[in-house]
Amino acid sequence: MPIPSEIPGSTARSHKDRFPFRSAIAFVAVAALLIVLNYGPAVIPSPDRTQAAPELPRYPISGFFISSSATDAKNLRNLEEIKASGGDTVITFGTSIVPASADSLPTDCKIDGDDCASVIGAGLKINRYFTYSDGGQWGKAALKCPRDRYVENQGKSYTIMVFPSNDTGCTAKDGRYDIIVAGGSPLSATDRTVSLASAASKLGMKFYAGMPAPAKRTDFEYLPDTSFLNTFTAFTDRFLRYQAQANNADGLTGFYHHLEMPVTDNPFFEPVLSLYKMQNEAIHRILPGRSAIVSPYIEARKDSANITPENAKNGIRKIAQTSGGLHLSIAIQDGMGTGKGAAYSAAEAGSPVDEFAASIVGNGTWAEKYVAPNRDYFKAAAQGIVGTGADLWANMEGMAPATKANPCDKSLRGQTTADRIGTQLQQLGSAQKIISYMWDPYFTCSGANPPLRDTLLQGLGSPLVTDSSYDAATGELRMEGFNLSGSTYTLELTGSGEADQRISGEPDTVEASSGEPQTGNPRLETITITTNLKQRTGDDSYAVSVSNEWGTSSDTGRPKSG
C-alpha cells in the first residue's frame, strides 16, 4: 500500500450528526433480509399508578476521556458524575514534549535570578532544549541525576532534567546533553495525575493516565519526531519511575498513548508502532501489572487513505504486537467526529450522505464517499485481534460539528444528540467495551439541548440492533443488540408484487450474547424469532420493528426491494 496522500493525525475532531438511523443488513439466501430500525430519543414512560415503571438501562458507554482539574474536589466530582452515568473508566489525553530554544524557555524559571536552564547547563555542551507542560507537580521525586534541579519561583514550580543526548544514565560519553523543563504549575495546584488516581481509588474506578509523546514532524505531521528518540526514551523511563514513586495507587490502572495512527497495516506508520512498543515495554518493566490503551482511528474516506476493513484487520494485529508483555486495549475511534468513518446500513449505501458528512467529504452517497461502514471495520478488527491477548474496544466520539444551533461552551466542536449516539452505538457491537471522547465539555455543556450527561443519567431505553443473521431454511431470525429484553416485534415481508405478510409476537428466546473471549460487549443481548412466512423471490425484503419493556420502540421503515 503506497504512502497515503492524506492521513490526518491531529486530535482535532469535527463531528457529524446523523438523521434517525436505519440499521439495514442484507443476507441473500432465498430472500433478502432487511432489518430496518428508526429510533428516536429514549422515552421515559409516565409512572403507572399501580406499578412502578422499570428502570431504564444504562447507555453501553462505560468510559470517558476527561480533562483533569487542578483541585481534588473537582476531579472527585467529575468522577462521581461519570460513575452515576454508568462509567467505570476515565482517561486523560497526555502531553507532548515540545522542542524549544534557550530563549523560548519559561522566563519565570529562575535560579538566583538567572535563567534555570543556563545555570544548570553551564559548562555542558547543550544539544537541545525541550518543555513538557502537563499541568502536574513533578516535584523532587523526579530528580535522578546530579544536575537535575527542582525550582520554585514566583509561586510556580519547575523540574529541570538533564539527559545525555546519545547515551543512557546520567553521563554523556560525548559530552552532549539535552535539557527538559517540566512543570510550570502554581504551587497551590494539586498534581492532577495523583489527584485523579486518588479519586478513582476512592470510587472503585479505573484511571488511565496520558503518556508523554514526542512532538510531530514538521514535514509529515501525522508522524512523530524521532530525532531525539534517545532523550525521549530516557524521559519515558523518568516519567514512569516518577509515577511509580509518587502515584502508585490502586486507581491507576494503566496509561494511554495519545500518539495516533489509522488502524492500518501500512508500513509508513512503523515509527508510531515502534514508539508504542518502547513505551509498553517500559510500563511493563517499571510498573508491572499496569495496562495500556491505544486508540487508532478509522479512515474510510475514498478520497483520502482509502483504507479497507482488510487493512484494518491486519493493522490491529500489528498494533497488538506492540504490547511488550503488558495487557493492551485497542480502542478504535469510530471516525464520526472527523468524517473519517461513517455509520450507515446496507440499505442506505446508495442514499446521500447527511449534511454533516457532506461538510467534510462533499455531496454524494455513502457508498461513493466511504469504503465501508464502521460496522465492517469493527468486525474485521475483531477477527484480526483474536489470539493476540489484546482487547478490542471502541472509542465513540461524543461531539458534532459546531454550528449556530449547537454551541458547546467555547469549544471548536458542538453538542451532539442522543439520536446520533444511538446511531454510532449500533455499529459497535464487536467491541468489548465502549469509551467516548470526551466527557467535558461535550457531555456536560448546555446548548440547544440539555447536557448529554442528563440523558445518560436517565438511561437509554431504545432497542439498538447491532447485528443479525437469518437462516432461510429454518426461518430463524437472530438479532443482537442493546436493550432487547422484554421485546415484542412486528415482522413484515414485502415485495414481489404480492400481498404483504405480517406477523407479531414475542421472541422465542432472549439471552446474553456470547462472543469471542476478546470481543463482544457484555451488555449485548440476542433475541431469536422463528418465522413461518412464505418465502418467495430474492427481491423480497423483511422489515422488523422492535419495542421493549421500557415503553420505547423502533419505528419500522420500509426499504426498497432488494
Side-chain angles (χ1 to χ4, degrees):
M1 184 175 181
I3 294 177
S5 59
E6 179 192 359
I7 304 184
S10 70
T11 59
R13 277 116 168 138
S14 56
H15 264 272
K16 58 175 188 171
D17 206 339
R18 293 283 293 160
F19 300 120
F21 181 65
R22 295 174 177 268
S23 173
I25 310 164
F27 298 84
V28 179
V30 176
L33 174 66
L34 292 175
I35 300 172
V36 182
L37 300 176
N38 285 344
Y39 64 84
V43 179
I44 301 178
S46 300
D48 190 289
R49 293 179 181 272
T50 59
Q51 183 178 4
E55 182 181 353
L56 286 168
R58 295 295 186 194
Y59 274 77
I61 306 170
S62 57
F64 295 88
F65 285 84
I66 62 170
S67 298
S68 58
S69 173
T71 68
D72 292 331
K74 180 67 185 307
N75 286 325
L76 181 61
R77 184 164 63 250
N78 275 351
L79 267 61
E80 287 174 337
E81 289 182 351
I82 289 171
K83 185 173 183 179
S85 302
D88 60 16
T89 302
V90 293
I91 307 157
T92 51
F93 199 70
T95 304
S96 295
I97 296 180
V98 179
S101 65
D103 294 335
S104 66
L105 292 173
T107 56
D108 54 1
C109 184
K110 302 283 189 180
I111 299 176
D112 298 329
D114 294 323
D115 292 337
C116 57
S118 61
V119 172
I120 292 173
L124 299 178
K125 295 178 181 178
I126 304 303
N127 186 42
R128 298 178 71 177
Y129 295 94
F130 301 90
T131 59
Y132 185 78
S133 304
D134 63 345
Q137 296 280 5
W138 280 65
K140 297 180 180 179
L143 307 181
K144 298 298 179 185
C145 292
R147 287 186 174 269
D148 296 342
R149 292 284 294 272
Y150 172 74
V151 175
E152 294 181 0
N153 186 55
Q154 296 183 357
K156 294 183 179 180
S157 68
Y158 290 94
T159 301
I160 304 96
M161 291 164 275
V162 183
F163 298 96
S165 300
N166 303 302
D167 291 309
T168 59
C170 295
T171 303
K173 295 177 182 177
D174 61 1
R176 303 190 69 83
Y177 293 87
D178 291 338
I179 289 180
I180 298 179
V181 178
S185 298
L187 291 168
S188 58
T190 186
D191 186 294
R192 295 167 183 252
T193 303
V194 173
S195 177
L196 283 170
S198 175
S201 300
K202 185 178 299 184
L203 297 174
M205 299 176 70
K206 299 174 181 178
F207 166 50
Y208 291 83
M211 285 289 287
K216 300 293 182 60
R217 284 169 52 169
T218 56
D219 52 351
F220 296 110
E221 64 176 15
Y222 38 82
L223 289 180
D225 179 1
T226 56
S227 63
F228 58 102
L229 181 58
N230 187 76
T231 294
F232 177 73
T233 300
F235 181 76
T236 293
D237 185 276
R238 185 73 62 88
F239 171 85
L240 291 169
R241 292 190 184 281
Y242 171 70
Q243 297 299 322
Q245 182 172 344
N247 195 26
N248 196 10
D250 291 341
L252 181 64
T253 304
F255 298 89
Y256 171 69
H257 298 285
H258 78 266
L259 182 65
E260 295 179 359
M261 63 173 284
V263 56
T264 179
D265 53 357
N266 192 327
F268 190 69
F269 292 95
E270 289 296 333
V272 181
L273 296 173
S274 296
L275 284 173
Y276 290 163
K277 191 171 191 299
M278 179 274 288
Q279 290 195 313
N280 285 334
E281 289 174 344
I283 295 168
H284 188 56
R285 180 179 68 251
I286 298 168
L287 285 158
R290 264 35 179 231
S291 56
I293 304 172
V294 61
S295 188
Y297 55 88
I298 289 174
E299 176 53 278
R301 294 175 294 178
K302 287 185 175 180
D303 64 355
S304 186
N306 204 28
I307 295 170
T308 68
E310 184 67 18
N311 297 141
K313 176 183 176 181
N314 298 330
I316 198 169
R317 196 165 191 87
K318 293 181 70 172
I319 295 172
Q321 290 168 350
T322 69
S323 67
L326 56 66
H327 183 79
L328 184 63
S329 297
I330 305 174
I332 298 178
Q333 299 175 43
D334 70 355
M336 292 286 282
T338 56
K340 299 172 187 174
Y344 64 93
S345 68
E348 291 179 310
S351 300
V353 300
D354 62 50
E355 60 181 308
F356 296 99
S359 70
I360 299 168
V361 299
N363 294 321
T365 68
W366 294 106
E368 289 171 343
K369 296 297 181 179
Y370 293 94
V371 176
N374 285 344
R375 178 184 286 108
D376 292 0
Y377 286 92
F378 276 91
K379 281 188 172 182
Q383 295 172 3
I385 206 170
V386 170
T388 65
D391 291 332
L392 174 62
W393 291 8
N395 182 358
M396 189 210 78
E397 296 174 341
M399 64 283 202
T403 68
K404 293 181 179 179
N406 71 334
C408 184
D409 294 341
K410 296 180 181 180
S411 174
L412 295 176
R413 311 303 169 199
Q415 186 186 43
T416 189
T417 66
D419 279 352
R420 181 185 169 281
I421 289 176
T423 298
Q424 293 170 268
L425 291 174
Q426 285 189 292
Q427 301 273 315
L428 307 180
S430 298
Q432 187 176 16
K433 183 180 179 73
I434 300 172
I435 60 176
S436 184
Y437 182 93
M438 70 181 297
W439 178 258
D440 43 9
Y442 301 117
F443 283 84
T444 60
C445 67
S446 296
N449 299 306
L452 283 170
R453 170 189 58 204
D454 297 348
T455 303
L456 295 180
L457 287 170
Q458 290 175 350
L460 171 68
S462 299
L464 299 175
V465 173
T466 61
D467 207 349
S468 69
S469 62
Y470 177 67
D471 188 332
T474 64
E476 183 178 270
L477 167 66
R478 291 175 63 87
M479 291 191 294
E480 186 177 65
F482 302 106
N483 307 332
L484 301 183
S485 292
S487 297
T488 59
Y489 69 88
T490 298
L491 185 149
E492 188 173 7
L493 175 66
T494 64
S496 304
E498 301 183 29
D500 294 348
Q501 302 179 67
R502 179 187 180 98
I503 60 172
S504 299
E506 297 180 356
D508 300 319
T509 61
V510 181
E511 57 189 358
S513 296
S514 57
E516 295 292 334
Q518 295 161 305
T519 60
N521 194 299
R523 302 190 191 189
L524 287 173
E525 297 172 314
T526 298
I527 62 175
T528 304
I529 300 170
T530 301
T531 74
N532 57 2
L533 298 182
K534 180 182 178 182
Q535 298 173 348
R536 297 179 294 199
T537 73
D539 291 330
D540 290 346
S541 63
Y542 289 88
V544 182
S545 64
V546 180
S547 62
N548 61 20
E549 63 183 318
W550 293 283
T552 60
S553 64
S554 56
D555 300 326
T556 46
R558 188 182 297 275
K560 296 179 180 180
S561 297

